[in-house]
CSV table of all heavy atoms in Angstrom, one decimal:
chain,number,residue,atom,x,y,z
V,1,MET,N,0.8,-1.2,0.0
V,1,MET,CA,0.0,0.0,0.0
V,1,MET,C,0.9,1.3,0.0
V,1,MET,O,0.6,2.2,-0.7
V,1,MET,CB,-0.9,0.0,1.2
V,1,MET,CG,-2.1,-0.9,1.1
V,1,MET,SD,-2.3,-2.2,2.3
V,1,MET,CE,-0.9,-2.5,3.2
V,2,LEU,N,1.9,1.3,0.8
V,2,LEU,CA,2.7,2.5,0.9
V,2,LEU,C,3.4,2.7,-0.5
V,2,LEU,O,3.5,3.8,-0.9
V,2,LEU,CB,3.7,2.3,2.0
V,2,LEU,CG,4.6,3.5,2.3
V,2,LEU,CD1,3.8,4.8,2.5
V,2,LEU,CD2,5.6,3.3,3.4
V,3,VAL,N,3.9,1.6,-1.1
V,3,VAL,CA,4.6,1.7,-2.3
V,3,VAL,C,3.6,2.3,-3.4
V,3,VAL,O,4.0,3.2,-4.2
V,3,VAL,CB,5.2,0.4,-2.8
V,3,VAL,CG1,5.7,0.5,-4.2
V,3,VAL,CG2,6.2,0.0,-1.8
V,4,LEU,N,2.4,1.8,-3.4
V,4,LEU,CA,1.4,2.3,-4.4
V,4,LEU,C,1.1,3.8,-4.1
V,4,LEU,O,0.9,4.6,-5.0
V,4,LEU,CB,0.2,1.5,-4.4
V,4,LEU,CG,0.3,0.2,-5.0
V,4,LEU,CD1,-1.1,-0.6,-4.8
V,4,LEU,CD2,0.6,0.2,-6.5
V,5,GLY,N,1.0,4.1,-2.8
V,5,GLY,CA,0.7,5.5,-2.5
V,5,GLY,C,1.8,6.4,-2.9
V,5,GLY,O,1.6,7.5,-3.5
V,6,ILE,N,3.1,6.0,-2.7
V,6,ILE,CA,4.2,6.9,-3.1
V,6,ILE,C,4.3,7.0,-4.6
V,6,ILE,O,4.5,8.0,-5.2
V,6,ILE,CB,5.5,6.3,-2.5
V,6,ILE,CG1,5.5,6.5,-1.0
V,6,ILE,CG2,6.7,6.9,-3.2
V,6,ILE,CD1,6.6,5.8,-0.3
V,7,LEU,N,4.0,5.9,-5.4
V,7,LEU,CA,4.0,5.8,-6.8
V,7,LEU,C,2.9,6.8,-7.3
V,7,LEU,O,3.0,7.5,-8.4
V,7,LEU,CB,3.8,4.5,-7.4
V,7,LEU,CG,5.0,3.5,-7.3
V,7,LEU,CD1,4.6,2.1,-7.8
V,7,LEU,CD2,6.2,4.1,-8.1
V,8,SER,N,1.8,6.8,-6.6
V,8,SER,CA,0.7,7.7,-7.1
V,8,SER,C,1.1,9.2,-6.9
V,8,SER,O,0.6,10.0,-7.7
V,8,SER,CB,-0.6,7.4,-6.2
V,8,SER,OG,-0.5,8.0,-4.9
V,9,LEU,N,2.0,9.5,-6.0
V,9,LEU,CA,2.4,10.9,-5.9
V,9,LEU,C,3.5,11.2,-6.8
V,9,LEU,O,3.7,12.4,-7.2
V,9,LEU,CB,2.8,11.1,-4.4
V,9,LEU,CG,1.8,11.0,-3.4
V,9,LEU,CD1,2.4,11.1,-2.0
V,9,LEU,CD2,0.8,12.1,-3.6
V,10,THR,N,4.4,10.3,-7.2
V,10,THR,CA,5.5,10.6,-8.0
V,10,THR,C,5.4,10.2,-9.5
V,10,THR,O,5.9,11.0,-10.3
V,10,THR,CB,6.7,9.8,-7.4
V,10,THR,OG1,6.5,8.4,-7.4
V,10,THR,CG2,7.0,10.3,-6.0
V,11,ILE,N,4.8,9.1,-9.8
V,11,ILE,CA,4.8,8.6,-11.2
V,11,ILE,C,3.4,8.6,-11.9
V,11,ILE,O,3.3,9.3,-12.9
V,11,ILE,CB,5.5,7.2,-11.2
V,11,ILE,CG1,6.9,7.3,-10.8
V,11,ILE,CG2,5.4,6.6,-12.6
V,11,ILE,CD1,7.6,5.9,-10.7
V,12,CYS,N,2.6,8.0,-11.3
V,12,CYS,CA,1.3,7.8,-12.0
V,12,CYS,C,0.1,7.9,-10.9
V,12,CYS,O,0.0,7.1,-10.0
V,12,CYS,CB,1.2,6.4,-12.7
V,12,CYS,SG,-0.2,6.1,-13.6
V,13,GLY,N,-0.7,8.9,-11.1
V,13,GLY,CA,-1.8,9.1,-10.2
V,13,GLY,C,-2.9,8.1,-10.1
V,13,GLY,O,-3.6,8.0,-9.1
V,14,ILE,N,-3.0,7.2,-11.1
V,14,ILE,CA,-4.0,6.2,-11.1
V,14,ILE,C,-3.8,5.1,-10.0
V,14,ILE,O,-4.7,4.5,-9.6
V,14,ILE,CB,-4.0,5.5,-12.5
V,14,ILE,CG1,-5.3,4.7,-12.6
V,14,ILE,CG2,-2.8,4.5,-12.7
V,14,ILE,CD1,-6.6,5.6,-12.8
V,15,PHE,N,-2.6,5.1,-9.4
V,15,PHE,CA,-2.3,4.2,-8.3
V,15,PHE,C,-3.0,4.7,-7.0
V,15,PHE,O,-3.1,4.0,-6.0
V,15,PHE,CB,-0.9,4.0,-8.1
V,15,PHE,CG,-0.2,3.2,-9.2
V,15,PHE,CD1,1.0,3.7,-9.7
V,15,PHE,CD2,-0.7,2.0,-9.6
V,15,PHE,CE1,1.6,3.0,-10.7
V,15,PHE,CE2,-0.1,1.3,-10.6
V,15,PHE,CZ,1.1,1.8,-11.2
V,16,GLY,N,-3.3,6.0,-7.0
V,16,GLY,CA,-3.9,6.6,-5.8
V,16,GLY,C,-5.2,5.9,-5.2
V,16,GLY,O,-5.2,5.6,-4.1
V,17,PRO,N,-6.2,5.8,-6.1
V,17,PRO,CA,-7.4,5.1,-5.5
V,17,PRO,C,-7.2,3.7,-5.1
V,17,PRO,O,-7.7,3.2,-4.2
V,17,PRO,CB,-8.4,5.1,-6.7
V,17,PRO,CG,-7.9,6.3,-7.6
V,17,PRO,CD,-6.4,6.3,-7.4
V,18,ILE,N,-6.2,3.0,-5.8
V,18,ILE,CA,-5.9,1.6,-5.5
V,18,ILE,C,-5.2,1.5,-4.1
V,18,ILE,O,-5.6,0.8,-3.3
V,18,ILE,CB,-5.0,1.0,-6.5
V,18,ILE,CG1,-5.6,1.0,-7.9
V,18,ILE,CG2,-4.5,-0.4,-6.1
V,18,ILE,CD1,-4.8,0.6,-9.1
V,19,ALA,N,-4.3,2.5,-3.9
V,19,ALA,CA,-3.6,2.5,-2.5
V,19,ALA,C,-4.6,2.9,-1.5
V,19,ALA,O,-4.5,2.4,-0.3
V,19,ALA,CB,-2.4,3.5,-2.6
V,20,TRP,N,-5.4,3.8,-1.8
V,20,TRP,CA,-6.5,4.2,-0.8
V,20,TRP,C,-7.4,3.1,-0.3
V,20,TRP,O,-7.5,2.8,0.8
V,20,TRP,CB,-7.3,5.4,-1.4
V,20,TRP,CG,-8.3,6.1,-0.5
V,20,TRP,CD1,-8.6,5.8,0.8
V,20,TRP,CD2,-9.1,7.2,-0.8
V,20,TRP,NE1,-9.5,6.6,1.2
V,20,TRP,CE2,-9.8,7.5,0.3
V,20,TRP,CE3,-9.2,7.9,-1.9
V,20,TRP,CZ2,-10.8,8.5,0.3
V,20,TRP,CZ3,-10.1,9.0,-2.0
V,20,TRP,CH2,-10.9,9.2,-0.9
V,21,ALA,N,-7.9,2.3,-1.4
V,21,ALA,CA,-8.7,1.2,-1.1
V,21,ALA,C,-7.9,0.1,-0.4
V,21,ALA,O,-8.5,-0.5,0.6
V,21,ALA,CB,-9.3,0.6,-2.4
V,22,MET,N,-6.7,-0.2,-0.7
V,22,MET,CA,-6.0,-1.3,-0.1
V,22,MET,C,-5.6,-0.9,1.3
V,22,MET,O,-5.6,-1.8,2.2
V,22,MET,CB,-4.7,-1.6,-0.9
V,22,MET,CG,-5.0,-2.3,-2.3
V,22,MET,SD,-3.5,-2.6,-3.2
V,22,MET,CE,-2.7,-3.8,-2.1
V,23,GLY,N,-5.3,0.3,1.5
V,23,GLY,CA,-4.9,0.8,2.8
V,23,GLY,C,-6.1,0.8,3.9
V,23,GLY,O,-6.0,0.3,5.0
V,24,ARG,N,-7.3,1.2,3.3
V,24,ARG,CA,-8.5,1.1,4.1
V,24,ARG,C,-8.8,-0.3,4.4
V,24,ARG,O,-9.2,-0.6,5.6
V,24,ARG,CB,-9.7,1.8,3.4
V,24,ARG,CG,-10.9,2.0,4.2
V,24,ARG,CD,-10.6,3.0,5.3
V,24,ARG,NE,-11.4,2.6,6.4
V,24,ARG,CZ,-11.1,2.9,7.7
V,24,ARG,NH1,-10.0,3.6,7.9
V,24,ARG,NH2,-11.8,2.6,8.7
V,25,GLY,N,-8.7,-1.2,3.5
V,25,GLY,CA,-9.0,-2.6,3.7
V,25,GLY,C,-8.1,-3.3,4.8
V,25,GLY,O,-8.5,-4.0,5.6
V,26,GLU,N,-6.8,-2.8,4.7
V,26,GLU,CA,-5.9,-3.4,5.7
V,26,GLU,C,-6.2,-2.8,7.1
V,26,GLU,O,-6.1,-3.6,8.1
V,26,GLU,CB,-4.4,-3.0,5.3
V,26,GLU,CG,-3.4,-3.6,6.2
V,26,GLU,CD,-3.3,-5.2,6.2
V,26,GLU,OE1,-3.8,-5.8,5.3
V,26,GLU,OE2,-2.8,-5.7,7.2
V,27,LEU,N,-6.5,-1.6,7.2
V,27,LEU,CA,-6.9,-1.0,8.5
V,27,LEU,C,-8.1,-1.7,9.0
V,27,LEU,O,-8.2,-1.9,10.2
V,27,LEU,CB,-7.1,0.5,8.3
V,27,LEU,CG,-5.8,1.3,8.1
V,27,LEU,CD1,-6.2,2.8,7.9
V,27,LEU,CD2,-4.9,1.2,9.3
V,28,ASN,N,-9.1,-2.0,8.2
V,28,ASN,CA,-10.3,-2.7,8.6
V,28,ASN,C,-9.9,-4.1,9.1
V,28,ASN,O,-10.4,-4.5,10.2
V,28,ASN,CB,-11.3,-2.9,7.5
V,28,ASN,CG,-12.0,-1.6,7.2
V,28,ASN,OD1,-12.0,-0.6,8.0
V,28,ASN,ND2,-12.5,-1.4,6.0
V,29,ARG,N,-9.0,-4.8,8.5
V,29,ARG,CA,-8.5,-6.1,8.9
V,29,ARG,C,-7.8,-6.0,10.3
V,29,ARG,O,-7.9,-6.8,11.1
V,29,ARG,CB,-7.6,-6.8,7.9
V,29,ARG,CG,-8.4,-7.4,6.7
V,29,ARG,CD,-7.6,-8.3,5.9
V,29,ARG,NE,-6.6,-7.6,5.1
V,29,ARG,CZ,-6.7,-6.9,4.0
V,29,ARG,NH1,-8.0,-6.8,3.5
V,29,ARG,NH2,-5.8,-6.2,3.4
V,30,ILE,N,-7.0,-4.9,10.4
V,30,ILE,CA,-6.2,-4.7,11.7
V,30,ILE,C,-7.3,-4.5,12.8
V,30,ILE,O,-7.2,-5.0,13.9
V,30,ILE,CB,-5.3,-3.6,11.6
V,30,ILE,CG1,-4.1,-4.0,10.7
V,30,ILE,CG2,-4.8,-3.1,13.0
V,30,ILE,CD1,-3.2,-2.8,10.3
V,31,MET,N,-8.3,-3.7,12.6
V,31,MET,CA,-9.3,-3.4,13.6
V,31,MET,C,-10.1,-4.6,14.0
V,31,MET,O,-10.6,-4.7,15.1
V,31,MET,CB,-10.2,-2.2,13.2
V,31,MET,CG,-9.5,-0.8,13.2
V,31,MET,SD,-10.7,0.5,12.9
V,31,MET,CE,-10.3,0.8,11.2
V,32,ALA,N,-10.3,-5.5,13.0
V,32,ALA,CA,-11.1,-6.7,13.2
V,32,ALA,C,-10.2,-7.8,13.9
V,32,ALA,O,-10.8,-8.8,14.2
V,32,ALA,CB,-11.7,-7.2,11.9
V,33,GLY,N,-8.9,-7.6,14.0
V,33,GLY,CA,-8.1,-8.5,14.7
V,33,GLY,C,-7.6,-9.6,13.7
V,33,GLY,O,-7.0,-10.6,14.1
V,34,GLU,N,-7.8,-9.4,12.4
V,34,GLU,CA,-7.4,-10.4,11.4
V,34,GLU,C,-5.9,-10.2,10.9
V,34,GLU,O,-5.3,-11.1,10.3
V,34,GLU,CB,-8.3,-10.4,10.2
V,34,GLU,CG,-9.7,-10.7,10.6
V,34,GLU,CD,-10.7,-10.4,9.4
V,34,GLU,OE1,-10.2,-10.0,8.3
V,34,GLU,OE2,-11.9,-10.6,9.6
V,35,ALA,N,-5.4,-9.0,11.2
V,35,ALA,CA,-4.0,-8.7,10.8
V,35,ALA,C,-3.2,-8.2,12.0
V,35,ALA,O,-3.9,-7.7,12.9
V,35,ALA,CB,-4.0,-7.8,9.6
V,36,SER,N,-1.9,-8.2,11.8
V,36,SER,CA,-1.1,-7.7,13.0
V,36,SER,C,-1.2,-6.2,13.1
V,36,SER,O,-1.1,-5.4,12.1
V,36,SER,CB,0.4,-8.1,12.6
V,36,SER,OG,1.3,-7.5,13.5
V,37,PRO,N,-1.3,-5.7,14.3
V,37,PRO,CA,-1.4,-4.3,14.5
V,37,PRO,C,-0.1,-3.5,14.3
V,37,PRO,O,-0.1,-2.3,14.2
V,37,PRO,CB,-1.8,-4.1,16.0
V,37,PRO,CG,-1.7,-5.5,16.6
V,37,PRO,CD,-1.6,-6.5,15.5
V,38,GLN,N,1.0,-4.3,14.1
V,38,GLN,CA,2.3,-3.6,13.8
V,38,GLN,C,2.3,-3.0,12.5
V,38,GLN,O,3.1,-2.0,12.2
V,38,GLN,CB,3.4,-4.7,13.9
V,38,GLN,CG,3.6,-5.2,15.3
V,38,GLN,CD,4.6,-6.3,15.3
V,38,GLN,OE1,5.0,-6.8,14.3
V,38,GLN,NE2,5.2,-6.6,16.5
V,39,GLY,N,1.4,-3.4,11.5
V,39,GLY,CA,1.4,-2.8,10.2
V,39,GLY,C,0.5,-1.6,10.1
V,39,GLY,O,0.3,-1.0,9.0
V,40,ARG,N,-0.1,-1.1,11.2
V,40,ARG,CA,-1.1,0.0,11.2
V,40,ARG,C,-0.4,1.3,10.6
V,40,ARG,O,-1.0,2.0,9.8
V,40,ARG,CB,-1.6,0.3,12.6
V,40,ARG,CG,-2.6,1.4,12.6
V,40,ARG,CD,-3.1,1.7,14.0
V,40,ARG,NE,-3.8,0.6,14.6
V,40,ARG,CZ,-5.1,0.3,14.5
V,40,ARG,NH1,-5.8,1.2,13.9
V,40,ARG,NH2,-5.6,-0.7,15.1
V,41,GLY,N,0.8,1.6,11.0
V,41,GLY,CA,1.5,2.8,10.6
V,41,GLY,C,1.7,2.8,9.0
V,41,GLY,O,1.4,3.8,8.4
V,42,LEU,N,2.2,1.7,8.5
V,42,LEU,CA,2.4,1.6,7.1
V,42,LEU,C,1.1,1.6,6.3
V,42,LEU,O,1.0,2.3,5.2
V,42,LEU,CB,3.2,0.4,6.7
V,42,LEU,CG,4.7,0.4,7.2
V,42,LEU,CD1,5.3,-1.0,6.9
V,42,LEU,CD2,5.5,1.5,6.6
V,43,ALA,N,0.1,1.0,6.8
V,43,ALA,CA,-1.2,1.0,6.1
V,43,ALA,C,-1.8,2.4,6.1
V,43,ALA,O,-2.3,2.9,5.2
V,43,ALA,CB,-2.2,0.0,6.8
V,44,ASN,N,-1.7,3.0,7.2
V,44,ASN,CA,-2.2,4.4,7.4
V,44,ASN,C,-1.5,5.4,6.5
V,44,ASN,O,-2.1,6.2,5.8
V,44,ASN,CB,-2.1,4.9,8.8
V,44,ASN,CG,-3.1,6.0,9.1
V,44,ASN,OD1,-4.1,6.2,8.4
V,44,ASN,ND2,-2.7,6.8,10.1
V,45,ALA,N,-0.1,5.2,6.4
V,45,ALA,CA,0.7,6.1,5.5
V,45,ALA,C,0.3,5.8,4.1
V,45,ALA,O,0.2,6.8,3.3
V,45,ALA,CB,2.1,5.9,5.8
V,46,GLY,N,0.2,4.6,3.7
V,46,GLY,CA,-0.2,4.2,2.3
V,46,GLY,C,-1.5,4.8,2.0
V,46,GLY,O,-1.8,5.3,0.8
V,47,MET,N,-2.5,4.7,2.8
V,47,MET,CA,-3.9,5.2,2.6
V,47,MET,C,-3.8,6.7,2.5
V,47,MET,O,-4.4,7.2,1.5
V,47,MET,CB,-4.8,4.8,3.8
V,47,MET,CG,-6.2,5.2,3.5
V,47,MET,SD,-7.4,4.8,4.8
V,47,MET,CE,-7.0,6.1,6.0
V,48,ILE,N,-3.1,7.4,3.3
V,48,ILE,CA,-3.0,8.9,3.2
V,48,ILE,C,-2.4,9.3,1.9
V,48,ILE,O,-2.8,10.2,1.2
V,48,ILE,CB,-2.3,9.5,4.4
V,48,ILE,CG1,-3.2,9.3,5.6
V,48,ILE,CG2,-1.9,10.9,4.2
V,48,ILE,CD1,-2.5,9.6,7.0
V,49,CYS,N,-1.3,8.6,1.5
V,49,CYS,CA,-0.6,8.9,0.2
V,49,CYS,C,-1.6,8.7,-0.9
V,49,CYS,O,-1.6,9.4,-1.9
V,49,CYS,CB,0.6,8.1,0.0
V,49,CYS,SG,2.0,8.6,1.0
V,50,GLY,N,-2.4,7.6,-0.8
V,50,GLY,CA,-3.4,7.2,-1.8
V,50,GLY,C,-4.4,8.3,-1.9
V,50,GLY,O,-4.9,8.7,-3.0
V,51,ILE,N,-4.9,8.8,-0.8
V,51,ILE,CA,-5.8,9.9,-0.8
V,51,ILE,C,-5.3,11.2,-1.5
V,51,ILE,O,-5.9,11.8,-2.3
V,51,ILE,CB,-6.3,10.3,0.7
V,51,ILE,CG1,-7.1,9.1,1.2
V,51,ILE,CG2,-7.1,11.5,0.7
V,51,ILE,CD1,-7.4,9.2,2.7
V,52,VAL,N,-4.1,11.6,-1.1
V,52,VAL,CA,-3.4,12.7,-1.8
V,52,VAL,C,-3.3,12.5,-3.2
V,52,VAL,O,-3.5,13.4,-4.1
V,52,VAL,CB,-2.1,13.1,-1.0
V,52,VAL,CG1,-1.4,14.2,-1.8
V,52,VAL,CG2,-2.4,13.5,0.4
V,53,GLY,N,-2.8,11.3,-3.6
V,53,GLY,CA,-2.6,11.0,-5.0
V,53,GLY,C,-3.9,11.0,-5.8
V,53,GLY,O,-4.0,11.5,-6.9
V,54,THR,N,-5.0,10.6,-5.2
V,54,THR,CA,-6.3,10.7,-5.8
V,54,THR,C,-6.8,12.1,-6.0
V,54,THR,O,-7.3,12.4,-7.1
V,54,THR,CB,-7.4,9.9,-5.0
V,54,THR,OG1,-7.0,8.5,-4.8
V,54,THR,CG2,-8.8,9.9,-5.6
V,55,LEU,N,-6.5,12.9,-5.0
V,55,LEU,CA,-6.9,14.3,-5.1
V,55,LEU,C,-6.1,15.0,-6.2
V,55,LEU,O,-6.6,15.8,-7.0
V,55,LEU,CB,-6.7,15.0,-3.8
V,55,LEU,CG,-7.6,14.6,-2.6
V,55,LEU,CD1,-7.2,15.3,-1.4
V,55,LEU,CD2,-9.0,14.9,-3.0
V,56,VAL,N,-4.8,14.7,-6.3
V,56,VAL,CA,-3.9,15.3,-7.4
V,56,VAL,C,-4.4,14.8,-8.8
V,56,VAL,O,-4.5,15.5,-9.7
V,56,VAL,CB,-2.5,14.9,-7.2
V,56,VAL,CG1,-1.6,15.2,-8.4
V,56,VAL,CG2,-1.9,15.5,-5.9
V,57,LEU,N,-4.8,13.5,-8.9
V,57,LEU,CA,-5.4,13.0,-10.1
V,57,LEU,C,-6.6,13.7,-10.5
V,57,LEU,O,-6.8,14.0,-11.6
V,57,LEU,CB,-5.6,11.5,-10.0
V,57,LEU,CG,-6.2,10.7,-11.2
V,57,LEU,CD1,-5.2,10.8,-12.4
V,57,LEU,CD2,-6.6,9.3,-10.8
V,58,ALA,N,-7.5,13.9,-9.5
V,58,ALA,CA,-8.8,14.6,-9.8
V,58,ALA,C,-8.5,16.1,-10.3
V,58,ALA,O,-9.1,16.6,-11.2
V,58,ALA,CB,-9.7,14.6,-8.6
V,59,LEU,N,-7.5,16.7,-9.6
V,59,LEU,CA,-7.1,18.1,-10.0
V,59,LEU,C,-6.7,18.1,-11.4
V,59,LEU,O,-6.9,19.0,-12.2
V,59,LEU,CB,-6.2,18.6,-9.0
V,59,LEU,CG,-5.7,20.1,-9.2
V,59,LEU,CD1,-6.9,21.0,-9.2
V,59,LEU,CD2,-4.6,20.5,-8.2
V,60,GLN,N,-5.8,17.2,-11.8
V,60,GLN,CA,-5.3,17.1,-13.1
V,60,GLN,C,-6.4,16.9,-14.1
V,60,GLN,O,-6.3,17.4,-15.2
V,60,GLN,CB,-4.2,15.9,-13.2
V,60,GLN,CG,-3.0,16.2,-12.5
V,60,GLN,CD,-2.0,15.0,-12.5
V,60,GLN,OE1,-2.4,13.9,-12.8
V,60,GLN,NE2,-0.8,15.2,-12.1
V,61,ALA,N,-7.4,16.0,-13.8
V,61,ALA,CA,-8.5,15.8,-14.7
V,61,ALA,C,-9.3,17.1,-14.9
V,61,ALA,O,-9.7,17.4,-16.0
V,61,ALA,CB,-9.3,14.7,-14.1
V,62,VAL,N,-9.5,17.8,-13.9
V,62,VAL,CA,-10.3,19.1,-13.9
V,62,VAL,C,-9.5,20.1,-14.8
V,62,VAL,O,-10.0,20.8,-15.7
V,62,VAL,CB,-10.6,19.7,-12.6
V,62,VAL,CG1,-11.1,21.1,-12.6
V,62,VAL,CG2,-11.5,18.8,-11.8
V,63,MET,N,-8.2,20.2,-14.6
V,63,MET,CA,-7.4,21.1,-15.3
V,63,MET,C,-7.4,20.7,-16.8
V,63,MET,O,-7.4,21.6,-17.7
V,63,MET,CB,-5.9,21.1,-14.8
V,63,MET,CG,-5.8,21.7,-13.4
V,63,MET,SD,-6.4,23.4,-13.3
V,63,MET,CE,-5.1,24.2,-14.2
V,64,LEU,N,-7.4,19.4,-17.1
V,64,LEU,CA,-7.3,18.9,-18.5
V,64,LEU,C,-8.7,19.3,-19.2
V,64,LEU,O,-8.7,19.8,-20.3
V,64,LEU,CB,-7.2,17.4,-18.6
V,64,LEU,CG,-7.1,16.8,-20.0
V,64,LEU,CD1,-6.0,17.4,-20.8
V,64,LEU,CD2,-7.1,15.3,-19.8
V,65,VAL,N,-9.8,19.2,-18.5
V,65,VAL,CA,-11.1,19.5,-19.0
V,65,VAL,C,-11.2,21.0,-19.2
V,65,VAL,O,-11.7,21.5,-20.3
V,65,VAL,CB,-12.2,19.0,-18.1
V,65,VAL,CG1,-13.6,19.6,-18.5
V,65,VAL,CG2,-12.3,17.5,-18.1
V,66,LEU,N,-10.6,21.8,-18.4
V,66,LEU,CA,-10.7,23.3,-18.5
V,66,LEU,C,-9.9,23.8,-19.6
V,66,LEU,O,-10.2,24.8,-20.3
V,66,LEU,CB,-10.3,23.9,-17.2
V,66,LEU,CG,-11.2,23.8,-16.0
V,66,LEU,CD1,-10.7,24.4,-14.7
V,66,LEU,CD2,-12.6,24.4,-16.4
V,67,MET,N,-8.8,23.1,-19.9
V,67,MET,CA,-7.9,23.4,-21.0
V,67,MET,C,-8.5,23.1,-22.3
V,67,MET,O,-8.1,23.8,-23.4
V,67,MET,CB,-6.5,22.8,-20.8
V,67,MET,CG,-5.8,23.3,-19.7
V,67,MET,SD,-4.2,22.5,-19.4
V,67,MET,CE,-3.3,22.9,-20.9
V,68,LEU,N,-9.3,22.2,-22.4
V,68,LEU,CA,-10.0,21.8,-23.7
V,68,LEU,C,-11.1,22.7,-23.9
V,68,LEU,O,-11.6,23.2,-24.6
V,68,LEU,CB,-10.5,20.3,-23.6
V,68,LEU,CG,-9.3,19.3,-23.5
V,68,LEU,CD1,-10.0,17.9,-23.4
V,68,LEU,CD2,-8.4,19.4,-24.7
């Protein structure tokens, strides 16, 4: 998740929603006790990077539409 989140910020924004969804899913598994709580920080960081990447992707799409 963290790698996808970082990639969404640096290379390709399409990874943002994927990182967001995967991070949220992992946090849900941690809260349900199905996954180790030690991964909470990385899952949270990946999800936040995914959210920011998704927002940047949306902003780019709006800018593209306005330029056309």
